[in-house]
């Protein structure tokens, strides 16, 4: 059942429909629907818009991606369902590789997510036939491609489940996360955490990447000036203000 356009929560209800359809098509894991619920609760608290601290983290992420030697965008079921086009556009703008990496991994779902990304315009998608493992991870998330996540220096990990971000950090990589939950383990482990809804966030990172690309010195300045602790405090202060004054 599609919600009527006049419904005050139309956009949010349509996003749920999109995820349920993607679940039925074998793109999203059942657990992904639950994860979305947590994400949308935080989005509601943040006012369902990109906040000023998120913008700062988005610009810094663009700078880290542009200055990387081998940047990779990691994609799971939820990210593919909500933001296949923004992922592909960002990958082209940087340019960065795309790798499907699933927590609830089945080879069938890896293939389906890959096909969806290709329909969204990706020319190459890594993920099938994994030939390396992320050390220290027991889950199927450890499976990856040598020429992809394994050898990347900067990895963007939207909607993580925590332990992989920490394992990637132990490998010496720079980890950029997108997570609406500022208290999550991922949010705390990442070098840059974008606390914003994934489809909005990736569009903004792409816009900054296109802008910064023209000015390498400014790109390095933005990257080096990013202060993760300061950004985290700004996100939490924003949330605190919203909780005190929901209409602010
Ligand atoms: O497709 P798979 O098998 O790789 O599984 C993907 C999920 C999302 C199920 C898996 O990675 C997982 O279990 O993740 P978690 O531990 O539930 O963490 C997901 C995080 O993303 C939570 O902190 C949510 O608040 C956040 N989140 C959910 N939806 C969004 C979001 N953040 C940004 N934008 C969203 N739309």
């Amino acid at each position: 059942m599609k919600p009527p356009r006049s419904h005050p929560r139309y956009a949010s209800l349509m996003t749920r429909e999109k995820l349920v359809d993607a679940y039925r098509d074998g793109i999203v894991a059942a657990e992904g629907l639950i994860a979305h619920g947590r994400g949308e609760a935080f989005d509601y608290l943040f006012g369902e818009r990109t906040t000023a601290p998120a913008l700062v983290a988005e610009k810094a992420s663009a700078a880290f991606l542009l200055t990387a030697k081998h940047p990779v965008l990691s994609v799971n079921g939820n990210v593919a369902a909500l933001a296949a086009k923004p992922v592909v556009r960002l990958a082209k703008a940087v340019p960065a590789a795309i790798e499907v990496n699933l927590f609830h991994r089945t080879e069938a779902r890896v293939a389906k997510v890959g096909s969806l990304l290709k329909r969204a315009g990706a020319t190459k998608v890594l993920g099938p036939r994994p030939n390396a493992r992320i050390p220290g991870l027991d889950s199927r998330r450890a499976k990856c491609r040598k020429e992809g996540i394994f050898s990347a220096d900067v990895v963007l990990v939207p909607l993580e489940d925590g332990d992989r971000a920490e394992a990637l950090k132990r490998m010496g990589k720079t980890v950029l996360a997108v997570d609406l939950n500022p208290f999550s383990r991922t949010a705390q482990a990442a070098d840059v955490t974008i606390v914003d809804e994934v489809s909005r966030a990736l569009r903004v990172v792409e816009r900054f990447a296109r802008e910064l690309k023209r000015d390498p010195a400014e790109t390095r300045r933005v990257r080096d000036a990013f202060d993760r602790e300061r950004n985290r405090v700004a996100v939490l202060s924003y949330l605190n203000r919203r909780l005190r004054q929901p209409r602010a």
Side-chain angles (χ1 to χ4, degrees):
M1 195 200 83
K2 300 286 177 224
R5 271 190 181 278
S6 55
H7 194 289
R9 302 287 307 150
Y10 179 76
S12 162
L13 294 177
M14 283 307 289
T15 303
R16 288 184 181 178
E17 288 300 316
K18 206 191 252 185
L19 277 159
V20 170
D21 286 349
Y23 164 68
R24 292 197 178 115
D25 291 343
I27 304 273
V28 166
E31 294 83 352
L33 300 177
I34 300 168
H36 178 73
R38 185 188 297 166
E40 70 173 8
F42 274 104
D43 203 22
Y44 198 93
L45 293 178
F46 279 106
E48 296 174 313
R49 62 189 164 213
T50 299
T51 65
L55 272 178
V56 171
E58 282 156 357
K59 192 166 187 179
S61 296
F64 273 103
L65 287 168
L66 287 172
T67 52
K69 285 199 180 72
H70 182 22
V72 175
L73 313 183
S74 177
V75 177
N76 65 21
N78 287 47
V79 174
L82 294 175
K85 280 205 173 126
V87 166
V88 173
R89 288 180 59 96
L90 175 60
K92 286 187 177 161
V94 172
I98 301 176
E99 179 162 341
V100 180
N101 179 277
L102 304 180
F103 182 63
H104 305 282
R105 184 181 178 109
T106 65
E107 295 313 313
R109 203 152 66 83
V110 171
K112 283 189 175 178
V113 172
S115 305
L116 176 61
L117 289 163
K118 285 191 176 152
R119 285 201 300 281
T123 41
K124 189 171 178 194
V125 178
L126 301 169
R129 297 178 298 283
N131 57 3
R133 287 188 70 86
I134 300 169
L137 266 192
D138 294 330
S139 68
R140 292 188 201 161
R141 256 225 196 281
K143 294 182 176 191
C144 62
R145 290 289 303 180
K146 229 178 241 165
E147 74 280 27
I149 289 172
F150 190 80
S151 57
D153 55 347
V154 176
V155 191
L156 178 84
V157 293
L159 279 68
E160 267 283 328
D161 53 50
D163 56 346
R164 186 176 62 142
E166 289 165 2
L168 292 172
K169 282 297 305 160
R170 285 197 298 274
M171 289 175 85
K173 300 180 193 302
T174 298
V175 176
L176 316 174
V178 181
D179 192 336
L180 277 160
N181 176 7
F183 305 103
S184 73
R185 278 173 58 192
T186 305
Q188 313 214 19
D191 295 278
V192 181
T193 300
I194 300 171
V195 182
D196 197 3
E197 194 282 323
V198 66
S199 61
R200 284 199 305 266
L202 297 184
R203 285 190 180 95
V204 178
V205 178
E206 183 213 334
R207 204 186 69 218
F208 280 129
R210 290 192 191 278
E211 261 172 49
L212 286 172
K213 224 174 166 175
R214 292 184 234 125
D215 192 341
E218 173 64 4
T219 304
R220 284 193 297 277
R221 194 200 62 74
V222 168
R223 180 196 62 191
D224 297 343
F226 182 75
D227 181 334
R228 65 186 294 280
E229 263 327 295
R230 208 169 144 185
N231 193 254
R232 187 172 152 70
V233 169
V235 169
L236 297 179
S237 313
Y238 187 97
L239 189 56
N240 191 17
R241 274 200 308 279
R242 282 271 308 164
L243 291 172
R244 286 159 191 264
Q245 282 179 292
R247 305 215 171 272

